[in-house]
Amino acid sequence: MSETKQLGKRERTLFVWMLLLTSFSFSISQSAMTTIYPVMANHFSVPISMVQWLTTGFMLVMTVTMPLSPWLLNRVPFKWFLAGIQAMFLLGTFIAINATGFGWVIFGRVLEGAAVGFLFPSYQSVIMLITPEENRGANMGMVGLVMGAALATGPIVSGIISQWFNWQGVFIFFELVIGLLFLVNLFVGQNVIVKKDVHLDVPSLIGLFGFAMVLFGIQSLGHTTKLIGMIVMMMVGLVLSVYFVHRQGNLSQPMLDFKVFKQVGFTLGLLLTGASYIALIVMTVLMPLYYQNVLHTSKLVSGLLMVPPAAAMAVMNRRSGKLLDQKGLKVVMRIGAASIFIGYAGLALTFGLHNAVLAVIFATFGEVGNAFMMLPATTYANNQLPDNLITHGSAMISTARQFAGVIGVLVATTIVSGLGNGLHSAYVVFALGMAVMIVTVWRITAIYHGENSL
């Protein structure tokens, strides 16, 4: 990795806050669509299964663009790299606002997803690189606050806006906020990474699309009549994915350096942050459905009920980063895994009571648990790497996290739409999954830290 430019305290503070606010806004957009699914379905006369592609398609595109971020970071001055992806997001949002058909909304979301995919690994890498290692836990706690709280805040924002405005109001909100941050970047943005001449390997770029083909196939299996064709496409995607991984090991300048997996601690952190992300993204999808379809609340009330869990997670993200610096991975991860399990198990057990207070309490447990897992695990993983591999580690974790998120949302939506009393079934299935996760976390951390029990 190239050297990083040294910044003064004021420069660094303004720059980091602008980065965090941009990421916060991008993250909100990722989950904001769930609250307005019914409105979009009615407006464009399309089924809910099609509208869900506003989220899942967005995440698919993110998965493809994330591995490109290390190459772009070395080729483009960061200030203009950020301005470019902000402009891409603004263009996609503008297209969605003015869409005359649902296909144009999807296209706008594709551009938004590409921009978010470029940003997430990049800004995490930059913050890691300009922060001394002994302070990384606390600073990445802020990153966790931004990412986690924003995902949970998305349905809140869209719920409140859609209560008084039509669906375009949600997109207009993002257009205004990102437009303002684009202007701020022109004044406080910094080229913190010295450019390095790296080659873009076109065969690797082609192979990268294999991941999207596999995910697209998985997403579509339950909603297509062309089953054979979809399976063939998935097989082609799998071959391209294997080719991509193999080629990276033979390149002197790989697009995504798989040498990061030689560090056991990195692999551990990646697996745990992926599991945590599944728990969070599924929670943000299921809770608005529970509030609106089971408790029959309005979109506004549904959004407001999402506030306490999001606020609690925001507070605890900062605390978890400091705790990671003080106590290490074992304590933090065990707290997180236990809290997530309590959240899902509580929602499954109390579902039939139709009690909003209990739902909020257990959703809070689930989201607070994420604060003690996702970014602490990411920080821990990247701390195992030398500086020249941190951008690759961040891209690898972000890509794996999105891959996990797509699969998690797919499983959740399939259960909700495919089983009787599907929403309750989804809570039960994910509670069982979190039980497996908590046992795994206990065993892995015990082995890794040399304990004799568990």
Side-chain angles (χ1 to χ4, degrees):
M1 182 67 203
S2 305
E3 296 178 356
T4 55
K5 174 184 174 183
Q6 297 300 311
L7 301 177
K9 183 176 180 180
R10 182 175 180 274
E11 285 181 317
R12 183 169 60 250
T13 300
L14 291 173
F15 171 64
V16 167
W17 273 106
M18 183 270 300
L19 269 182
L20 292 174
L21 288 172
T22 300
S23 176
F24 185 77
S25 303
F26 277 20
S27 295
I28 290 177
S29 73
Q30 184 175 346
S31 59
M33 297 296 105
T34 55
T35 304
I36 58 172
Y37 279 174
V39 178
M40 300 288 283
N42 290 334
H43 181 85
F44 289 103
S45 299
V46 295
I48 287 291
S49 60
M50 178 68 72
V51 177
Q52 287 169 349
W53 280 94
L54 292 175
T55 299
T56 53
F58 181 101
M59 293 169 69
L60 277 173
V61 176
M62 286 177 65
T63 304
V64 174
T65 56
M66 280 176 172
L68 291 171
S69 62
W71 177 78
L72 283 169
L73 273 177
N74 280 304
R75 294 286 296 180
V76 182
F78 186 78
K79 177 177 181 176
W80 304 113
F81 166 76
L82 181 59
I85 58 180
Q86 288 171 327
M88 181 186 294
F89 189 96
L90 289 169
L91 175 60
T93 307
F94 179 81
I95 290 171
I97 291 169
N98 295 281
T100 54
F102 189 68
W104 284 107
V105 184
I106 292 288
F107 180 62
R109 287 288 285 173
V110 164
L111 291 178
E112 288 182 349
V116 176
F118 286 130
L119 176 67
F120 278 3
S122 305
Y123 98 97
Q124 291 178 63
S125 298
V126 166
I127 290 177
M128 288 282 291
L129 287 166
I130 65 176
T131 303
E133 185 169 332
E134 62 272 14
N135 296 327
R136 283 177 179 171
N139 279 7
M140 290 302 284
M142 286 296 295
V143 173
L145 184 156
V146 165
M147 293 182 66
L151 279 173
T153 302
I156 300 171
V157 171
S158 61
I160 293 173
I161 293 174
S162 61
Q163 185 71 21
W164 287 287
F165 302 97
N166 60 19
W167 63 269
Q168 286 102 329
V170 177
F171 287 96
I172 290 171
F173 169 80
F174 292 116
E175 191 81 354
L176 294 174
V177 173
I178 300 299
L180 177 61
L181 289 168
F182 174 84
L183 296 175
V184 172
N185 178 47
L186 298 180
F187 293 96
V188 306
Q190 300 288 337
N191 296 323
V192 292
I193 297 177
V194 179
K195 287 198 302 178
K196 178 181 177 183
D197 187 19
V198 291
H199 171 67
L200 178 62
D201 184 60
V202 176
S204 293
L205 186 61
I206 295 171
L208 186 60
F209 282 92
F211 292 107
M213 293 171 70
V214 172
L215 285 176
F216 179 80
I218 294 172
Q219 293 273 6
S220 304
L221 281 178
H223 311 286
T224 182
T225 57
K226 300 178 180 178
L227 184 60
I228 301 299
M230 194 60 63
I231 292 175
V232 170
M233 188 195 72
M234 290 174 63
M235 296 302 295
V236 172
L238 184 60
V239 170
L240 286 174
S241 301
V242 172
Y243 168 74
F244 174 82
V245 174
H246 175 74
R247 185 166 179 81
Q248 302 317 295
N250 295 322
L251 293 175
S252 58
Q253 293 182 342
M255 181 183 293
L256 204 56
D257 199 331
F258 283 80
K259 286 196 284 293
V260 294
F261 288 108
K262 291 182 178 180
Q263 301 292 333
V264 176
F266 174 84
T267 304
L268 168 65
L270 180 143
L271 291 173
L272 294 177
T273 194
S276 176
Y277 187 74
I278 289 175
L280 176 63
I281 196 73
V282 168
M283 187 73 76
T284 63
V285 169
L286 295 183
M287 293 313 297
L289 294 176
Y290 178 73
Y291 294 137
Q292 293 180 47
N293 297 347
V294 177
L295 300 185
H296 305 293
T297 68
S298 66
K299 292 188 291 293
L300 175 61
V301 172
S302 171
L304 292 175
L305 290 174
M306 299 287 285
V307 172
M313 182 169 58
V315 172
M316 297 312 295
N317 258 302
R318 186 68 171 171
R319 176 60 187 154
S320 69
K322 293 179 179 179
L323 190 63
L324 177 66
D325 288 335
Q326 296 167 359
K327 301 295 185 181
L329 181 72
K330 181 180 70 173
V331 172
V332 175
M333 298 302 291
R334 289 181 175 182
I335 292 173
S339 183
I340 291 173
F341 170 72
I342 290 170
Y344 274 99
L347 288 166
L349 291 171
T350 62
F351 185 90
L353 298 178
H354 295 181
N355 188 299
V357 174
L358 288 176
V360 170
I361 289 172
F362 287 117
T364 301
F365 269 100
E367 294 191 19
V368 165
N370 183 271
F372 284 91
M373 279 195 69
M374 189 170 71
L375 262 296
T378 300
T379 305
Y380 182 85
N382 278 328
N383 276 347
Q384 312 308 306
L385 303 176
D387 281 357
N388 66 308
L389 287 179
I390 282 180
T391 55
H392 292 275
S394 293
M396 195 76 73
I397 289 172
S398 297
T399 303
R401 186 188 295 147
Q402 289 308 126
F403 209 100
V406 168
I407 293 173
V409 171
L410 171 65
V411 172
T413 54
T414 300
I415 294 171
V416 169
S417 60
L419 297 178
N421 200 11
L423 195 55
H424 181 234
S425 299
Y427 285 128
V428 171
V429 169
F430 278 92
L432 293 173
M434 295 308 113
V436 173
M437 183 185 71
I438 193 172
V439 172
T440 303
V441 166
W442 241 264
R443 287 183 176 276
I444 290 176
T445 54
I447 293 169
Y448 194 74
H449 290 273
E451 296 179 10
N452 295 320
S453 61
L454 292 179

